[in-house]
Amino acid sequence: MGLLFRRSKKLGRGVRLNVTGRGVSASARKGPISVSSKGRVTIRLGKGFSFRLF
């Protein structure tokens, strides 16, 4: 295991800028669905569970 770095900043309603050790990305969320600038689509299922489509 190594040291991980992650920072997230809200840019507006449902929009975030994410900074990690691997780079920078943005994500937008509407209800339970989240879409990132890297093409990932995630659906929140509740109680800590989620399903990633891409």
Side-chain angles (χ1 to χ4, degrees):
M1 281 198 198
L3 185 62
L4 301 175
F5 173 77
R6 177 178 159 86
R7 192 63 72 139
S8 182
K9 177 77 174 164
K10 285 185 181 180
L11 297 179
R13 191 177 190 135
V15 179
R16 288 185 175 270
L17 181 67
N18 306 300
V19 180
T20 66
R22 296 182 131 195
V24 179
S25 68
S27 62
R29 185 174 51 133
K30 182 72 174 178
I33 298 173
S34 176
V35 179
S36 80
S37 62
K38 294 190 175 189
R40 294 189 180 109
V41 178
T42 305
I43 301 173
R44 291 183 299 153
L45 302 174
K47 297 287 184 184
F49 292 99
S50 63
F51 182 76
R52 184 178 288 168
L53 298 174
F54 301 104

